[in-house]
Amino acid sequence: MQFKNPEILYFLFLLVVPILVHLFQLRRFKTQYFTNVRFLKALSIQSRKSATIKKWLLLACRLLLLIALLIAFAQPFYLAKDAKNASNELYIILDNSYSMQAKGKKGELLKRAIQELLENTAEKTHFSLLTNTDTYWKTDIKAIKNSLQNLDYSAIPFELENQITKIKAHKTAYNKDIVIITDALDLSSKQLNGIDKKDNTYFIIQKSEQKNNTAIDSVYINKTVDNFYEISVNLSHYGDKGQAIPIAIYNQNQLIAKTQLRFETDKQTAQFTIPKTAFNGFVSIEDGGLTYDNKLYFSIADLKKNKVTSIGDPQKSNFLKRIYTPDEFNFKAVSLNTLNYNDLENQDAIVLNELEEIPQALQTTLKSFVSKGGNLIIIPATNSTITAINPFLKTFGSVQFQKKETIEKQLTKINFNHPLFKDVFEGKVKNFQYPTTKTSFLLTPSGSVALANNDQSSFLSTIASNGGNVSVFSAALNIENSNFQQSPLIVPSFYKMAISNQNNTIKAFSIGNSNTYFVTAAISKDAILTVKNKDEQFIPIQQVLNNKVKLLFNDYPLHAGNFEILKENKNIDALSFNYSRTESNLAPANLKILDNYKTIDSIEAVYDSLQSDRTDNQIWKWFVIFALLFLLSEMAIIRFMK
């Protein structure tokens, strides 16, 4: 037992006072009996014995009363078992990602967690609150009540490691109590590495009763037929199979088509046919799972012909004319001597077709062209000068030409996951007529390989550079050196390499990614472009590049939807943003990784645990009660004892 005011105990010497008074009252006097009262002698002796007992009892009560009062004022207590952490600062990490939209026993997980915080957090409790999007340092529940009640779901996935880093960066002289409220979806042991062992960490796992969910993963143009687009919609289903899900496609909120899918497997694809016109709408499904992934917004611009220029011997570009047809492309083949450098900035794709050397002026122009989102295709000549072309390639990445090889090679491998061939083939082709090359260059490192030879060397590699793409072949494609021109692979390869990322393709970005978009617009350096829809408006990071403007989207927009790009309040382009689908799988979390951490049922239980473990057991009240009992005992003795 310890005392908050131990100096009060010095007053125990006052116990001497009632003792002295008592001894004074017990002094002996010589008694003289008169004749007429002698008959009372026996009765007097008996009364004196009773009075002595009464006085000793009164003395004991008074001494105990004084002792109890003094000890009560000294405030005795028993030290709490976790008293050393009583000064800890409290940090609450609240997961508000879209997986917390799932329903538990008492409703949506996030809303229930917020309600428990509001109900159980005392107004005098100071803490810091961190969500996926917001941070409130050293606040109280009254100050952030409205913010909590209006807290929306975040498109940013829950990253515990990032939140722990923020807390560590918030310097303090005290240890920390960290309460993590999450459904633990995709929580990995790596994310737990940042937790400091000296901090008290509590996990409140929000358990979902909901296991079934269907998500729209992607939308793409599968085929263009006359005046129509064939749209493919990829969907994923998690949970029980055999469910029928209605799916519809809307343009400007107007229903275009509707169908139904029955999920017998995890993945399904729905097909729609829509007019070949500008589109600004969404695909929608109805399921009993999460709602955030039930819509996927996308935009298609008005049909524009892609501009492609081939630089080199026009005779060697005849095969390109058959690929870049007039209905979709404005193609022209020019020799290096007749090249108009000023015209290159307006192209969507440029093919360097077997140039033995690239003039410095052309290199400078092409670097600028790629930096503004252009696509560059490099086909080396058989006699290309490696020392001249490698410094140029180094501008875009690490791919370099190495030694020339004069052995025949076969093209035997297609990277079906590469952007050039994604969704091109219905199935993985294993047996096809292998194209061959007689003379080729070794590419190292090989970059992102789209096509590979039988010796695993790269035949076609691509480099993503500042919004543009650079595609590099390892061999000349003339008919004397290769029969690749007769291969069916040549059409999808060159077609996809030349297609602008923004012309005649679906424009749908994921929120939170570093998305780059080029808008064809001539504006002054002081002018700005605005991105807007009916619910949200923002100004993205932008850079003026001659006749284009480079837009960079990082944290904006906050919500999914179809957006317009405005120049002086005039609509010049459209694009769409969606939430990432990383939260769609509601499979139970692996909670075994939390075996070394404290898991607790509710925020109320956390507060109760902290209160009981860190609150000293105050027992001075008991001594006040004892003092009152001794006072009552004294009064009873005085009144009732003769």
Side-chain angles (χ1 to χ4, degrees):
M1 187 169 65
Q2 301 184 37
F3 298 90
K4 287 187 177 180
N5 304 309
E7 63 276 4
I8 299 294
L9 298 178
Y10 287 115
F11 288 95
L12 287 174
F13 76 88
L14 294 177
L15 295 175
V16 176
V17 174
I19 294 174
L20 292 176
V21 172
H22 178 76
L23 293 175
F24 179 77
Q25 291 178 348
L26 292 178
R27 287 184 302 170
R28 293 179 177 275
F29 297 94
K30 185 178 181 180
T31 305
Q32 180 66 41
Y33 295 102
F34 295 95
T35 303
N36 58 343
V37 295
R38 284 184 181 277
F39 67 92
L40 298 174
K41 181 178 180 180
L43 181 62
S44 176
I45 292 173
Q46 183 179 357
S47 299
R48 188 180 300 162
K49 289 180 179 178
S50 298
T52 302
I53 294 173
K54 179 179 180 179
K55 289 179 180 179
W56 280 109
L57 289 175
L58 288 173
L59 176 62
C61 287
R62 288 165 182 167
L63 288 175
L64 291 172
L65 171 62
L66 186 58
I67 291 172
L69 285 175
L70 289 173
I71 293 178
F73 279 107
Q75 296 190 33
F77 65 92
Y78 287 108
L79 193 64
K81 64 179 182 180
D82 195 24
K84 64 180 181 179
N85 290 319
S87 60
N88 280 13
E89 291 186 351
L90 177 61
Y91 297 83
I92 299 175
I93 300 175
L94 178 59
D95 177 6
N96 64 323
S97 60
Y98 271 103
S99 62
M100 293 285 283
Q101 199 177 59
K103 292 180 175 61
K105 292 182 179 179
K106 298 180 179 179
E108 292 185 16
L109 300 182
L110 177 61
K111 292 181 179 179
R112 185 57 194 168
I114 292 173
Q115 188 63 31
E116 288 187 358
L117 279 173
L118 294 174
E119 290 176 353
N120 297 291
T121 305
E123 289 188 3
K124 63 180 180 180
T125 301
H126 287 81
F127 60 93
S128 297
L129 176 68
L130 294 85
T131 69
N132 296 20
T133 51
D134 302 299
T135 303
Y136 306 90
W137 298 112
K138 293 184 179 179
T139 185
D140 56 65
I141 198 66
K142 188 176 180 180
I144 64 170
K145 181 178 180 179
N146 289 336
S147 298
L148 273 175
Q149 290 175 334
N150 296 321
L151 182 64
D152 201 358
Y153 295 98
S154 168
I156 303 173
F158 179 66
E159 294 289 346
L160 178 59
E161 193 173 10
N162 294 343
Q163 306 289 33
I164 295 297
T165 302
K166 288 181 183 179
I167 293 176
K168 285 184 177 181
H170 191 71
K171 299 298 182 182
T172 177
Y174 304 99
N175 289 336
K176 306 177 183 70
D177 294 321
I178 303 176
V179 180
I180 303 167
I181 305 175
T182 178
D183 59 359
L185 186 69
D186 293 332
L187 187 66
S188 64
S189 56
K190 179 182 178 182
Q191 296 184 41
L192 302 176
N193 293 337
I195 298 177
D196 199 329
K197 297 298 182 182
K198 69 180 181 180
D199 295 331
N200 292 303
T201 305
Y202 300 86
F203 280 89
I204 302 176
I205 304 301
Q206 304 293 303
K207 296 182 180 179
S208 170
E209 297 291 312
Q210 179 179 328
K211 304 303 177 187
N212 295 333
N213 185 51
T214 305
I216 305 175
D217 293 330
S218 61
V219 179
Y220 62 93
I221 298 176
N222 185 39
K223 190 184 297 183
T224 302
V225 181
D226 297 329
N227 296 321
F228 296 93
Y229 291 124
E230 287 189 4
I231 301 294
S232 294
V233 182
N234 290 333
L235 301 97
S236 295
H237 181 76
Y238 307 94
D240 298 333
K241 302 297 185 294
Q243 295 186 3
I245 303 295
I247 176 171
I249 186 168
Y250 295 82
N251 186 13
Q252 301 287 357
N253 293 319
Q254 181 180 356
L255 180 63
I256 301 299
K258 191 172 184 178
T259 187
Q260 192 176 66
L261 283 179
R262 184 171 297 277
F263 282 88
E264 301 296 344
T265 59
D266 294 339
K267 303 287 185 180
Q268 291 281 11
T269 301
Q271 305 289 346
F272 293 95
T273 300
I274 64 174
K276 192 191 292 185
T277 58
F279 184 96
N280 207 30
F282 58 90
V283 180
S284 175
I285 61 172
E286 295 179 11
D287 71 335
L290 303 179
T291 58
Y292 90 96
D293 54 12
N294 287 355
K295 284 185 179 180
L296 192 143
Y297 297 89
F298 67 98
S299 302
I300 303 176
D302 285 324
L303 187 63
K304 296 179 181 178
K305 291 186 178 182
N306 289 272
K307 300 176 182 178
V308 181
T309 294
S310 174
I311 305 174
D313 186 353
Q315 295 298 324
K316 293 183 179 181
S317 299
N318 288 332
F319 75 97
L320 295 176
K321 291 181 181 180
R322 297 192 295 271
I323 299 173
Y324 302 134
T325 54
D327 57 333
E328 292 187 66
F329 296 89
N330 286 327
F331 174 76
K332 59 182 176 181
V334 297
S335 64
L336 188 58
N337 296 332
T338 61
L339 177 63
N340 182 359
Y341 282 71
N342 294 327
D343 191 42
L344 296 182
E345 292 286 347
N346 299 321
Q347 303 300 303
D348 294 306
I350 297 175
V351 182
L352 298 184
N353 191 6
E354 300 190 26
L355 294 180
E356 294 185 2
E357 292 190 6
I358 306 174
Q360 188 60 46
L362 180 58
Q363 291 187 28
T364 303
T365 303
L366 292 176
K367 291 174 185 177
S368 174
F369 169 76
V370 174
S371 68
K372 297 174 184 178
N375 294 327
L376 177 63
I377 304 169
I378 300 176
I379 306 173
T382 305
N383 298 322
S384 289
T385 306
I386 295 177
T387 55
I389 197 172
N390 277 344
F392 173 62
L393 279 177
K394 195 172 183 180
T395 305
F396 309 111
S398 57
V399 174
Q400 296 280 277
F401 281 98
Q402 299 298 323
K403 63 179 181 178
K404 182 191 295 185
E405 297 179 323
T406 55
I407 58 174
E408 184 175 290
K409 294 183 180 181
Q410 283 187 326
L411 193 165
T412 59
K413 183 178 180 182
I414 305 171
N415 182 358
F416 293 98
N417 295 321
H418 194 278
L420 289 180
F421 303 116
K422 188 177 181 181
D423 304 321
V424 170
F425 301 96
E426 293 182 358
K428 292 187 177 181
V429 181
K430 294 182 179 180
N431 296 316
F432 61 96
Q433 186 176 0
Y434 300 135
T436 60
T437 56
K438 297 178 181 178
T439 301
S440 61
F441 295 90
L442 182 65
L443 292 179
T444 58
S446 54
S448 178
V449 178
L451 299 172
N453 296 310
N454 54 347
D455 62 352
Q456 305 303 315
S457 62
S458 172
F459 178 78
L460 172 61
S461 293
T462 62
I463 310 166
S465 177
N466 297 322
N469 291 290
V470 180
S471 303
V472 184
F473 285 90
S474 64
L477 302 184
N478 59 71
I479 58 176
E480 289 80 14
N481 187 60
S482 172
N483 61 350
F484 184 68
Q485 292 187 22
Q486 285 77 46
S487 170
L489 287 174
I490 193 170
V491 175
S493 299
F494 275 92
Y495 184 90
K496 293 293 286 290
M497 285 188 291
I499 287 288
S500 170
N501 293 330
Q502 299 166 181
N503 289 349
N504 314 329
T505 58
I506 284 179
K507 295 178 286 187
F509 301 108
S510 293
I511 296 175
N513 293 344
S514 296
N515 300 299
T516 301
Y517 186 75
F518 291 87
V519 181
T520 302
I523 65 173
S524 64
K525 291 186 177 181
D526 296 331
I528 57 173
L529 299 181
T530 305
V531 180
K532 178 183 179 182
N533 68 2
K534 63 179 182 179
D535 299 317
E536 191 173 355
Q537 179 175 341
F538 64 95
I539 299 174
I541 300 173
Q542 49 197 276
Q543 180 183 3
V544 179
L545 304 169
N546 295 337
N547 63 332
K548 292 184 179 180
V549 180
K550 179 181 178 181
L551 303 181
L552 181 63
F553 305 96
N554 291 326
D555 298 329
Y556 290 95
L558 299 177
H559 303 285
N562 301 119
F563 288 81
E564 297 177 341
I565 300 177
L566 303 178
K567 173 189 174 184
E568 299 176 352
N569 295 323
K570 182 180 178 182
N571 181 14
I572 62 172
D573 206 345
L575 67 166
S576 301
F577 291 89
N578 297 283
Y579 303 120
S580 175
R581 271 32 183 178
T582 56
E583 306 282 324
S584 296
N585 188 356
L586 296 177
N590 178 21
L591 300 183
K592 291 184 178 180
I593 61 176
L594 300 179
D595 288 345
N596 297 326
Y597 298 89
K598 300 175 185 175
T599 56
I600 205 159
D601 294 334
S602 64
I603 190 67
E604 181 183 10
V606 172
Y607 290 144
D608 289 344
S609 176
L610 295 178
Q611 182 76 12
S612 60
D613 292 347
R614 297 178 185 177
T615 301
D616 297 331
N617 189 8
Q618 305 288 342
I619 60 174
W620 62 270
K621 296 178 182 179
W622 288 102
F623 286 93
V624 172
I625 295 173
F626 292 150
L628 291 174
L629 291 175
F630 292 137
L631 178 61
L632 293 174
S633 299
E634 180 183 353
M635 295 174 63
I637 291 170
I638 293 173
R639 182 170 181 177
F640 299 108
M641 191 172 181
K642 302 298 183 181

